[in-house]
Amino acid sequence: MQNKEILSGKTLTELETTMQSIGEKSFRARQIYKWINKKSVHDFQKMTDLSKDLRNKLTDSFKIKTLEIQEKEHSEIDDSVKYLFKLEDGNFIESVLMQDSDRHTICLSTMIGCPIGCPYCATGLIGLKRNLTAGEIVEQLLWVAKDSEIDLTNIVFMGMGEPFLNYENSIKAAQIFNTELGPEISTRKIVISTCGIIPKLYDYTDQGYKFKLAISLNGTTNKQRDEMVPINKKYPLEELIKAAKYYTNNSRNRITFEYILIKDFNDSLEDARRLRQLLSDFPCKLNIIPYNENEQINFQAPSEQKLDQFVNELYKSPFAVTVRRSKGQDISAACGQLYGKNNI
Ligand code: SF4
């Protein structure tokens, strides 16, 4: 059987080149790009502004859909839905749809597994199987939008994997999401989250991308971060803060730091004070995320009292502090809980 070329994840320019290669005018690429990325259509026969001949020609040589929804779990405590996708090579990934009044956010995966191995994270238990293609990242949004019939308003690259270790494909997917003929989601509503891959932070700054950045901090000393975010041994805390300041100075955008609060590990008043000191001399935001307990991992959530004390100590800071309670805890869809079910 002929191997069909995959069109999901192609930029408009790439699609124009593909159309030219089969003797079609490049404006056809605009029509097809819009059907795929704006309307989540994967059947060429449904692209009604193309001739029958072209639809047949496309059906013979190309395909759009490589991800199948294998399972959906609806949370009973909030409106989140976890999607389990099966990939063409038999691997699985997860994406999460989170709804909050008029804000509809999708949390996307960028890898099957993850090489970083943060001990609080279920994805890290799998290790890295492989990076996702740009198409596999884009398709998560397309098929969730189609299935849910919801207009997605926000995107976070916070699912399985470290986006900055799959840099080109993650950026390419984000660019497709931002295009006028695609989902057209503003750069301000697309957040790329990294655990601190410092050379890529510099590249990202120098390349001038406008998508918002989040950094998982999770500790206030190198000792804590070495344990919680093992890449810290390669890219230590002081270098990370230096790279974050470089980004802030050059992009004029604030970084959001994520801090997963874990009982008896990083939830003391001393931690809060160190955190305040670390982040006080440049514009940034801090998200405190009480740990989501996971049966496979032995960390615990902080008590409400500890959380209050910690946050109160931080409210004296010059930066904005928010407490983000992850959605979908009952369906293991919250931060650090994704693992693609059938992968381990
Ligand atoms: S928290 Fe992020 S970087 Fe760490 S193992 Fe999980 S997916 Fe990878």
Side-chain angles (χ1 to χ4, degrees), residues 111 113-125 158-162 194-195 216 218 228-230 260 336:
M111 293 175 165
C114 182
I116 304 292
C118 305
Y120 64 89
C121 169
T123 307
L125 295 177
M158 293 185 183
M160 298 166 63
E162 162 53 58
T194 176
C195 64
S216 306
N218 302 341
M228 291 308 284
V229 192
I260 298 186

